[in-house]
Structures are given as C-alpha cells and as structure tokens.
Amino acid sequence: MPKAQKIIIDTDPGQDDAVAILLALASPELDILGITAVAGNVPLKLTEKNARKICELAGKPDTKVFSGAIRPLVRELVTAEEVHGKTGLDGPDLPEPKMKLQDQHAVDFIVETLMAEESGTVTLCPLGPLTNIALALIREPKIAKRIEKIVLMGGGFFEGGNVTPIAEFNIYVDPHAADVVFRSGVPIVVMPLDVTHKALTTSKRVAAFRKLGTRVGIATAQMLEFFERFDEEKYGTDGGPLHDPCVIAYLLKPELFKGRECNVSVETASELTMGMTVIDWWGVTKRPKNATVMRDIDHDGFFALLVERLGRL
Ligand code: BDR
Ligand code: CA
C-alpha cells in the first residue's frame, strides 16, 4: 500500500464534522497528525471536547487533539446552536471524554508540524472557520510553501449562502481569516454549498448507518437525525446536506467530485454581503486562479464510501 497521506483536521464539531472525523479515522490511506479545534458551530470549550468524544467513539483515544482560536480574527463569534444543538453534538448520548487535550496550542502545532515534516507532504483539512489556519500562516509565513494543499469546506456561489442570503457559515464566521487563506498562494480545493447541498442525508441513507448495528453506526444515525431536522424544514428536503465529510471523501476518492480552477475572493467590507465567496466560475476577471472549486458530487458513491468506512470502526 502507498504511504498514508499526512493530514491535519481543523474543525468545530458539529455533527457533520464528527462524521468527517470518523471517516478519516476509519481510513488507512490517511495519517491524522492531529485534530485542531476552533470556535465555530459552538464555542471552543465544546468543539475541543466534541473532537475528543468522537475520537473515543471511534476507539482511537491516542489521536492528538489541540485547542485553538477562541474567537475570529476581527469579528465577534457567531455560533449555530439552532442547527447543532446546545452541545454542538446533540443526538447521541456520548460520554464525557477521558482522553486529554494536548498542552500545545493548535496554531503552534500546525506551524511546528509543517516546519518539521518534509515540505509538501502535509494536507490541511479545515472543516470550520479558518481562524487557526490564518493565524498559522500569519505567525510563520514560511509554512505557505510547505503545505501540500488545503482541502476545505466553505463558501457557495450558485447555491447562495446558508447563514445570510449570500454567505456560507464557515466563511461568514471569520471572513478575514478566509481572506488570508485564499490569498496565501497555497493550492486550495473548495467544497462549497454547491456540492454539499447535493449530499443529502435521506432517511434511506440514515437507515444504512443505523443498520451497521455498531456504536459508531447508531451514533451516526442519531447525530444525522438531529442535524438534518433544521435543514429539512428550511429546504423542504428529505435529509439535510452532509457538508464536512466531502473534504475527507475527496482525499480518498477525488473522482467523486467535479469542479474547475478559478479565482475565489472573500468579501470582508460590506455588511450586506459579508463573508461572500466571490467565485469567478466563468473567468470574467483577470484575477489569478487560486482554488479548485468543486460543483458536483457522485452522492450515491459518497454515501456508499461513508457507510463502508464507518462500518470498519
Ligand atoms: C458548515 O457550517 C457548519 O455548520 C458545518 O459544520 C459546516 O462546516 C456548513 O455551512
Ligand atoms: Ca464544520
């Protein structure tokens, strides 16, 4: 088997973050150097704890979890308890984690890891607001050339926004951090709402997780049933979008996704369109192509991969 791909998952769990982490932990093709928590769906105290709960659920308590930025770079923190519940992981009844949080700050961990590992061999997987990643890039600009790529969930264009008519949650929460990341020169792959809104947790798909009959399978079904209720009502669909696992699925099976290289710029000034990802899909500007933006997903293949992998835990 080829060498496992080294990754750092930066996350704000969040039920869909949790499923992404489970998918990564279940996949031998990936070597998770660490999981870094950021404030987002719920405050940092909860996201770092939730990350540890998920590692324990997966039976991987040796995974290193780090706590990062407590708030966005410039703006006040906006959270999403209405979607994720008070704990951020409402649905299953998961025990308090026993595994310890690492002492090192998440941003130091990201910088030190990238400086220590061979250049071009570590991929960053941000699943939440980009605060930790931007802070790392600001703290040690040399890391920009050492990051293999960033595969992130965030933004939206044809599909509009999910927190304002035009902004997606992760970018909206810390648009200034997103701006730093999209200007960094690091190769970026974007999973926007245009993809994730096609990956719906239909009742049949949730049933497939439950049918695994394992703790992970049942907890996943419970998380998704809680998580989807908000979006089902909002969009009138059977199931809600399963955003964050698209990032990990891309690393495992990039052929599930289709997109193109284009310029992505982030709005940081206008209150009306704050956090909008302005995606030059049609190449109507001369702005440099700074990201590969995905637009389509083989959603049946995506859910088949998820069920097969989570079944291994
Ligand atoms: C993103 O926002 C969060 O609520 C989800 O975890 C996902 O990362 C979707 O807009
Ligand atoms: Ca998330």
Side-chain angles (χ1 to χ4, degrees), residues 268-310:
T268 56
S270 152
E271 261 315 311
L272 183 65
T273 53
M274 182 64 76
M276 177 182 183
T277 42
V278 180
I279 298 179
D280 188 5
W281 185 263
W282 303 113
V284 294
T285 71
K286 294 271 180 296
R287 291 198 283 264
K289 294 180 176 170
N290 59 350
T292 303
V293 178
M294 296 301 167
R295 192 173 171 185
D296 277 305
I297 177 172
D298 166 1
H299 44 85
D300 284 329
F302 169 68
F303 277 94
L305 173 71
L306 269 169
V307 172
E308 186 268 316
R309 290 302 167 102
L310 267 53

Side-chain angles (χ1 to χ4, degrees), residues 50-122:
N50 290 343
R52 289 182 289 136
K53 281 185 179 177
I54 295 303
C55 293
E56 289 191 357
L57 172 67
K60 311 265 183 184
D62 295 336
T63 313
K64 290 184 182 156
V65 176
F66 302 81
S67 185
I70 198 159
R71 49 155 290 186
L73 297 186
V74 178
R75 287 161 66 82
E76 292 297 318
L77 177 65
V78 176
T79 53
E81 283 84 357
E82 69 284 9
V83 183
H84 301 271
K86 239 175 126 169
T87 65
L89 266 193
D90 280 22
D93 194 10
L94 298 174
E96 288 296 295
K98 290 199 190 70
M99 62 185 273
K100 292 268 171 292
L101 190 62
Q102 300 292 309
D103 290 334
Q104 196 178 22
H105 191 278
V107 174
D108 292 338
F109 168 74
I110 294 171
V111 169
E112 282 175 29
T113 304
L114 285 162
M115 294 309 287
E117 294 286 340
E118 192 188 330
S119 183
T121 63
V122 178

Side-chain angles (χ1 to χ4, degrees), residues 12-61:
D12 62 337
Q15 293 88 347
D16 62 323
D17 301 73
V19 177
I21 294 169
L22 290 172
L23 176 61
L25 288 170
S27 298
E29 301 94 324
L30 302 177
D31 175 8
I32 307 174
L33 303 180
I35 297 180
T36 52
V38 67
N41 287 324
V42 285
L44 184 67
K45 265 264 147 282
L46 290 168
T47 59
E48 62 85 350
K49 182 157 67 161
N50 290 343
R52 289 182 289 136
K53 281 185 179 177
I54 295 303
C55 293
E56 289 191 357
L57 172 67
K60 311 265 183 184

Side-chain angles (χ1 to χ4, degrees), residues 11-14 16-17 41 84 127-129 153 169-170 243-244:
T11 177
D12 62 337
D16 62 323
D17 301 73
N41 287 324
H84 301 271
L127 311 176
M153 191 281 135
F169 181 80
N170 290 340
H243 309 281
D244 293 339

